[in-house]
Amino acid sequence: MLQKAGLIASFVAHVFHLLGELAWDSVETKYRRMQSISRPPLTNHDEIQNIVIIGASYAGYHAAKVIASNLPPKSPYRVVIIEPHSHFHFTWVLPRFCVVEQEHKAFIPYGPYLKGSPEGRVRWVHERVAQVSRDSVWLEKSQEQIPYAFLVVATGSGATDGLPSRVAADTKAGGMALMQNMQRNIKQTQHLVVVGGGAAGVELAADAKQRYPEKHVTLVHSRKAVMHRFGPELQAAALRGLEDLGVETVLQERTASSSIVNCTGQKASSSIMAELAPEAISPTGTIRVKPTLQIQDAELSNVYVCGDVADVGINNPNARSATRQAMVVGLNVVRAATGGSPTKTYKPFWGEGVIKLTLGLDTSISHVGDGDTELWWHSKERNLALMSAGAWKRLGAKPFEDDYESEKQVE
């Protein structure tokens, strides 16, 4: 009991520390804006320099917001966001919407999160990056060369087979079609085999069994326990939840069957940096960084990395850690762009690893642990769409209104 109390106290102390950091960052931003008042306005468009951000998931999108909203009004910098997807993918709900027909709620319109940025400060480019050099990026389709003064790599991680961990489509219409196809396959099969006992596999298997109790649902996992990256208490609770629903769980086995849902692990998307900074790529594919989240390369001090692709010593990267890294990167870029030093640092904190794991359509487990002690509790879930509406609101969009004509785009 004392250990759990200490865990709570440590978590609360960290929250207050973060609040103090936010307050200080706000003071710094106001001071920077006051300094910019005396600067003459820019008169030559050629003076504009680019801060290029590759990827606009949790890390990249938040880094763009931090940079665009904190640069002084007369700054000679523009934020260029390169992201192939037409919409923000709310990945946490993908396993649920592979079973439940509410897939449109997983695609949040880009743009509203950056409202309030000075006019002309942000440029969106919905393409993929083909190559990165020391001062430019090249786009895959248009072959446009975009020079940069600062580069933020936030390419995240990808799953080989896409759903239910990632959506392998760039348009909303394409993504919805993939999810609808998986919904049909799950509905039509009598024996569903889910491979991979991480969060995506556990959640999809549990949802499918509760949605279709007459089906035989089997979860196959190669490790000794489901949720093997977490503590033993969560592992046991997750297994009990699956068994209570009637999901057959097969551990320490693999399957070669093609009639499955593959929920095996994800890999960091670092390939675009492999040629420019090969020594910075770790054996797992993540990109090595300094505490300031600058890439681990002395000649690339203007290149920053954040999110799942950054090698920051986190076993279970998630949106919370990605967003906090984005804050560090964003403020360091602003400091460097305004003549200061990028001295803000990121240190992983176990409290960022808190997870809510759904175990069926109406039950979840929230869990946090520091490696020695665990806290977890059950909750009732009353909304099939889970946290979708809240995610839309946090990103500045009205749930679930989207006037973007993605249906007219061609994959």
Side-chain angles (χ1 to χ4, degrees), residues 26-96:
S26 177
V27 170
E28 179 183 332
T29 298
K30 291 178 181 177
Y31 176 71
R32 191 181 299 115
R33 289 184 179 278
M34 290 176 61
Q35 282 187 316
S36 71
I37 293 175
S38 60
R39 295 175 186 165
L42 294 175
T43 56
N44 188 345
H45 183 73
D46 293 337
E47 294 182 48
I48 297 295
Q49 299 182 69
N50 295 321
I51 298 172
V52 172
I53 299 175
I54 306 177
S57 189
Y58 295 99
Y61 203 10
H62 190 62
K65 180 179 178 66
V66 172
I67 295 170
S69 60
N70 282 276
L71 282 171
K74 299 176 183 178
S75 169
Y77 293 96
R78 170 181 56 188
V79 178
V80 180
I81 307 167
I82 305 175
E83 166 57 59
H85 295 158
S86 65
H87 289 64
F88 181 93
H89 292 181
F90 184 34
T91 54
W92 188 70
V93 297
L94 294 182
R96 168 64 52 89

Side-chain angles (χ1 to χ4, degrees), residues 41-231:
L42 294 175
T43 56
N44 188 345
H45 183 73
D46 293 337
E47 294 182 48
I48 297 295
Q49 299 182 69
N50 295 321
I51 298 172
V52 172
I53 299 175
I54 306 177
S57 189
Y58 295 99
Y61 203 10
H62 190 62
K65 180 179 178 66
V66 172
I67 295 170
S69 60
N70 282 276
L71 282 171
K74 299 176 183 178
S75 169
Y77 293 96
R78 170 181 56 188
V79 178
V80 180
I81 307 167
I82 305 175
E83 166 57 59
H85 295 158
S86 65
H87 289 64
F88 181 93
H89 292 181
F90 184 34
T91 54
W92 188 70
V93 297
L94 294 182
R96 168 64 52 89
F97 293 161
C98 284
V99 178
V100 176
E101 299 84 352
Q102 298 193 30
E103 61 281 352
H104 63 285
K105 298 178 181 179
F107 301 93
I108 306 173
Y110 274 125
Y113 193 50
L114 302 180
K115 281 183 178 177
S117 300
E119 185 177 356
R121 174 66 53 81
V122 177
R123 177 194 174 194
W124 283 91
V125 179
H126 289 291
E127 277 205 54
R128 280 184 166 77
V129 171
Q131 185 180 354
V132 179
S133 74
R134 293 186 180 279
D135 56 14
S136 299
V137 300
W138 280 263
L139 303 181
E140 192 173 86
K141 288 185 178 180
S142 66
Q143 298 185 348
E144 178 186 356
Q145 177 183 353
I146 302 178
Y148 66 82
F150 297 94
L151 176 66
V152 177
V153 180
T155 46
S157 58
T160 303
D161 294 304
L163 290 171
S165 299
R166 294 291 186 270
V167 182
D170 289 337
T171 66
K172 178 178 180 176
M176 288 175 60
L178 290 175
M179 298 177 77
Q180 290 163 357
N181 185 60
M182 182 167 282
Q183 292 164 8
R184 284 192 297 270
N185 290 341
I186 291 174
K187 186 176 183 178
Q188 293 169 3
T189 188
Q190 289 303 307
H191 186 183
L192 174 65
V193 179
V194 179
V195 178
V202 169
E203 292 181 335
L204 186 138
D207 281 0
K209 183 61 179 176
Q210 188 166 1
R211 181 79 163 182
Y212 305 107
E214 74 283 0
K215 295 186 187 299
H216 186 181
V217 178
T218 301
L219 178 68
V220 181
H221 190 45
S222 61
R223 305 300 183 97
K224 294 181 179 180
V226 296
M227 303 298 293
H228 61 274
R229 293 182 177 179
F230 294 83

Side-chain angles (χ1 to χ4, degrees), residues 239-321:
L239 182 60
R240 283 196 302 271
L242 291 168
E243 292 174 342
D244 289 346
L245 287 167
V247 175
E248 179 186 3
T249 306
V250 180
L251 300 175
Q252 294 183 277
E253 294 286 352
R254 298 178 184 273
T255 179
S257 171
S258 59
S259 57
I260 61 174
V261 176
N262 193 339
C263 304
T264 51
Q266 302 163 29
K267 185 176 181 181
S269 302
S270 60
S271 59
I272 61 169
M273 297 300 295
E275 184 176 347
L276 177 61
E279 297 301 318
I281 308 299
S282 75
T284 61
T286 52
I287 302 175
R288 296 186 177 98
V289 293
K290 302 174 183 178
T292 55
L293 299 184
Q294 292 165 290
I295 193 170
Q296 196 76 263
D297 188 314
E299 297 183 6
L300 297 172
S301 60
N302 60 335
V303 177
Y304 296 77
V305 186
C306 56
D308 289 6
V309 74
D311 185 8
V312 293
I314 295 177
N315 292 328
N316 300 293
N318 57 31
R320 293 177 189 83
S321 60

